[in-house]
Amino acid sequence: MESRAKLLGHPIHQMLIVFPLGLLAMAVIFDLIALVRAQGYWSEIAYWMIAAGVLTGLLAAPFGFIDWLAIPSGTRAKRIGALHGIGNVLVVLMFGASWMMRCDQPRTPETLALTLSFVAGGIALFTGWLGGELVDRLAVGVDEGAHVDAPSSLSARRVRS
């Protein structure tokens, strides 16, 4: 099934998700650098990355939801899409909570703020893989002839036309 929300012929959700994915991943990396180097400067950069990542995640989400609504019910793609979407809402909420905890002192985030970011970053790796499974394996949002019940890319089973 093709994306229902397009801009100049391309799926909007797929165009937008690169921003929260990249920004939030870099926030995790900058927090790790801050911990290793003991320099709050890097945590402050992570703080602003999280702010931008959460905002762009909120911008990308409605377009993903529009596309998910168009996936046929009872298919593997619908189940994966639901897990992908719910997981990403959790990621945005966790990073948002981390960001709010940092507001008073972005250079010295508390342990819980860092933990939320690191756990959310791990979940984002999984939900990003699910998004890749939807687009690359199942062709959701790409092709009207999408194979919405194709086996997992981790499976040895091949897609049948």
Side-chain angles (χ1 to χ4, degrees), residues 60 104 135:
D104 289 339
V135 173

Side-chain angles (χ1 to χ4, degrees), residues 6 49 60 77 83 86 140 143-144 150:
K6 291 184 176 187
M49 291 285 199
L83 187 56
I86 291 166
V140 169
D143 187 349
E144 194 55 50

Side-chain angles (χ1 to χ4, degrees):
M1 48 114 336
E2 284 190 53
S3 174
R4 299 299 185 244
K6 291 184 176 187
L7 177 66
L8 302 174
H10 294 284
I12 296 171
H13 181 68
Q14 293 173 26
M15 285 190 274
L16 293 178
I17 58 92
V18 297
F19 295 105
L21 192 59
L23 288 162
L24 296 172
M26 286 309 301
V28 169
I29 290 169
F30 287 145
D31 273 338
L32 289 170
I33 292 170
L35 288 173
V36 169
R37 301 199 60 190
Q39 295 175 332
Y41 168 78
W42 296 101
S43 288
E44 187 171 1
I45 295 171
Y47 170 81
W48 292 110
M49 291 285 199
I50 291 170
V54 166
L55 288 174
T56 56
L58 293 172
L59 181 63
F63 297 105
F65 184 67
I66 290 167
D67 287 345
W68 179 78
L69 289 173
I71 298 172
S73 296
T75 61
R76 183 168 175 268
K78 190 75 162 192
R79 292 186 302 276
I80 290 173
L83 187 56
H84 169 75
I86 291 166
N88 283 327
V89 167
L90 180 62
V91 166
V92 169
L93 288 173
M94 291 174 75
F95 271 111
S98 175
W99 183 79
M100 288 175 48
M101 294 171 137
R102 299 166 186 244
C103 284
D104 289 339
Q105 295 184 325
R107 286 182 175 242
T108 55
E110 57 187 82
T111 303
L112 181 56
L114 291 171
T115 302
L116 284 169
S117 291
F118 296 150
V119 171
I123 295 169
L125 287 172
F126 176 65
T127 59
W129 179 83
L130 289 173
E133 187 78 354
L134 285 166
V135 173
D136 294 334
R137 181 69 170 182
L138 304 174
V140 169
V142 178
D143 187 349
E144 194 55 50
H147 193 322
V148 293
D149 279 316
S152 168
S153 61
L154 299 176
S155 167
R157 292 180 34 216
R158 307 302 299 160
V159 177
R160 293 188 182 125
S161 300

